[in-house]
Amino acid sequence: MASSKLRRSCSFPNLLLSCLNFTLFILSAASLAPTILLKMPPTSFGLAFLMVSCISLLSSFVGFYSQLTQFCFITHVSLLLASLMGQLLSTLALFTREKSSLSMLKSERDPKEAKVLVRLECGILMAMFLMQLLVLILSCVIHSCWVRDYEEIEAEREAMAKKRSRKIAQVQEESMANAAKIAEVKAKEFDEKMKRKYGQWVKTDFEG
């Protein structure tokens, strides 16, 4: 009941985050292709690009899991930040140092094809960076929303528990009061019976 209430409270942002995570997953998978096509096996420079893409893929997977269970938030944010740093550095390297990047990638393809692939990789990384930034912001917003709603639900539970305990205490007091009254009535009845019996014994003694 509480989990469904938490999901309903952020339903639209959750849906938007799912779309962004899915788009990020597709972009991360697509970013592997240019590096692989440039040279296989890749150079150490190419491996750095593959690592950035793999971290982005992993962050999108963890994002889906975190969204479903509300766990692994810190892990997800750490992966997002690492991925953002990698994407930013990779984009700057390809955008500002295109020729040196091509020489470090050591592609055996036609120079024009290699240049197109490098620019394609740069474009995909830029799109991934923007998408990852949106995912990070939206994840933080949804998490803060979830924490606030969870605290409200916990406060409601505590209030309900206190109310229930007060009712139980009240019922116990009433039952104890009723038991005391019943005991008092029984004691009075017993006293009256004893008085009647004692009165009869005294009467017969006097008559005898």
Side-chain angles (χ1 to χ4, degrees):
M1 186 178 172
S3 60
S4 61
K5 188 177 177 182
L6 289 171
R7 285 194 194 98
R8 281 199 303 273
S9 64
C10 302
S11 56
F12 177 71
N14 269 315
L15 182 63
L16 184 60
L17 184 60
S18 295
C19 293
L20 289 173
N21 266 322
F22 184 67
T23 309
L24 181 63
F25 174 77
I26 292 169
L27 285 171
S28 302
S31 67
L32 294 167
T35 308
I36 292 167
L37 289 170
L38 278 165
K39 184 174 174 60
M40 198 63 196
T43 60
S44 56
F45 193 61
L47 279 172
F49 289 113
L50 289 176
M51 193 176 291
V52 169
S53 299
C54 288
I55 292 170
S56 297
L57 275 170
L58 184 60
S59 72
S60 63
F61 274 124
V62 175
F64 282 123
Y65 180 75
S66 174
Q67 200 177 345
L68 288 170
T69 60
Q70 298 298 339
F71 294 125
C72 304
F73 175 72
I74 295 170
T75 307
H76 184 216
V77 170
S78 302
L79 284 169
L80 284 171
L81 290 171
S83 185
L84 278 169
M85 287 298 295
Q87 286 158 10
L88 182 64
L89 292 172
S90 300
T91 305
L92 287 172
L94 292 175
F95 190 74
T96 58
R97 299 279 189 274
E98 190 178 282
K99 286 183 180 178
S100 58
S101 297
L102 278 166
S103 63
M104 289 173 76
L105 287 166
K106 297 176 182 178
S107 178
E108 295 171 359
R109 288 182 171 272
D110 182 71
K112 287 183 179 179
E113 285 182 8
K115 192 176 284 188
V116 168
L117 287 169
V118 164
R119 287 177 182 177
L120 179 63
E121 180 73 9
C122 184
I124 293 170
L125 286 168
M126 285 175 74
M128 282 167 65
F129 178 80
L130 294 171
M131 199 64 62
Q132 201 102 45
L133 195 61
L134 286 172
V135 167
L136 177 63
I137 293 165
L138 198 55
S139 295
C140 291
V141 168
I142 288 171
H143 185 73
S144 62
C145 172
W146 186 85
V147 168
R148 189 185 65 246
D149 289 345
Y150 182 77
E151 285 172 354
E152 286 175 4
I153 289 166
E154 283 299 310
E156 285 176 12
R157 280 180 181 171
E158 285 178 9
M160 288 285 287
K162 284 178 182 177
K163 194 175 180 182
R164 196 180 295 114
S165 63
R166 279 198 299 268
K167 280 184 179 178
I168 291 166
Q170 190 178 355
V171 168
Q172 284 176 345
E173 284 176 8
E174 287 175 358
S175 63
M176 285 174 73
N178 289 332
K181 283 179 183 178
I182 290 164
E184 190 179 347
V185 168
K186 283 183 177 179
K188 282 181 181 178
E189 287 176 356
F190 181 74
D191 287 343
E192 285 175 5
K193 283 180 182 178
M194 291 300 291
K195 281 176 183 177
R196 279 197 222 105
K197 285 182 181 180
Y198 182 72
Q200 283 177 0
W201 290 338
V202 170
K203 205 172 185 183
T204 52
D205 286 343
F206 274 118
E207 286 175 358

